[in-house]
Amino acid sequence: MRKALGLLFVLVLALSACAPQIETGKGEMVFEAVSAGTDALVSRTDPTYRPDVTAPFAAELAVFYSVRVTTPAGYSPFTIVQQPSNPREVRATYVARKVDAQGKVLGTVEMSWLVRERGQGMVSVFLTSRSDDPQVDVRALEAQALSHLTSRFRLLASGR
């Protein structure tokens, strides 16, 4: 029995070593690509159709920043700064500001996302965050966002 378990263990190790490894760059997260339901239906009927695999990620980020994120105390809700995008690459920056009664900006939080089709059924996601207010815990905001994404999509590898 022990010999059989040992052999099974060696076999599992050998198979896991043969599994393809996903290389990631610094700050890169690789997710399994999923296409929207309509993309899946169209792709079955039209073999030349190429689904937009970045759209579901952009949509989930929009949902997160509109209803799920907890903005820092005194800050406005996050708004999106529109950036040029295409079906293979989406760039979105979400900005929240702290403004005094006179309209002077006291602090800014920016969270910039790049979602890029990677091929082979994968999407690369990069997040760059910054705040000019030392009271804002940018890492905690990132943790909220990444938790939301990983609850919706399968994370395959991370260079973060």
Side-chain angles (χ1 to χ4, degrees):
M1 181 70 173
R2 240 182 201 190
K3 193 173 186 179
L5 284 175
L7 186 59
L8 182 62
F9 179 71
V10 169
L11 181 62
V12 168
L13 283 176
L15 288 175
S16 66
C18 294
Q21 299 298 315
I22 299 171
E23 298 287 325
T24 59
K26 184 175 170 110
E28 179 182 18
M29 295 165 286
V30 178
F31 287 88
E32 181 176 40
V34 291
S35 54
T38 53
D39 286 333
L41 291 174
V42 172
S43 65
R44 285 190 206 125
T45 58
D46 180 1
T48 62
Y49 179 75
R50 186 174 171 138
D52 180 352
V53 297
T54 59
F57 289 86
E60 278 302 326
L61 289 172
V63 167
F64 171 75
Y65 283 104
S66 63
V67 296
R68 301 220 189 281
V69 70
T70 304
T71 56
Y75 278 76
S76 67
F78 279 93
T79 57
I80 188 169
V81 175
Q82 219 38 13
Q83 296 175 339
S85 298
N86 63 62
R88 292 189 174 166
E89 183 175 287
V90 173
R91 291 177 183 272
T93 300
Y94 290 87
V95 178
R97 290 188 173 86
K98 185 177 192 177
V99 181
D100 69 10
Q102 289 74 35
K104 180 182 174 191
V105 176
L106 303 174
T108 302
V109 177
E110 285 184 12
M111 299 182 78
S112 298
W113 294 86
L114 169 60
V115 180
R116 182 182 295 149
E117 181 178 340
R118 184 180 167 119
Q120 298 178 338
M122 296 181 282
V123 172
S124 290
V125 176
F126 298 86
L127 170 60
T128 306
S129 303
R130 70 166 200 82
S131 176
D132 54 11
D133 182 348
Q135 301 296 321
V136 173
D137 184 356
V138 174
R139 295 282 179 220
L141 289 171
E142 287 180 344
Q144 284 182 56
L146 296 174
S147 174
H148 180 76
L149 269 188
T150 56
S151 73
R152 301 292 190 259
F153 304 103
R154 194 171 87 150
L155 180 64
L156 301 174
S158 179
R160 283 185 66 90

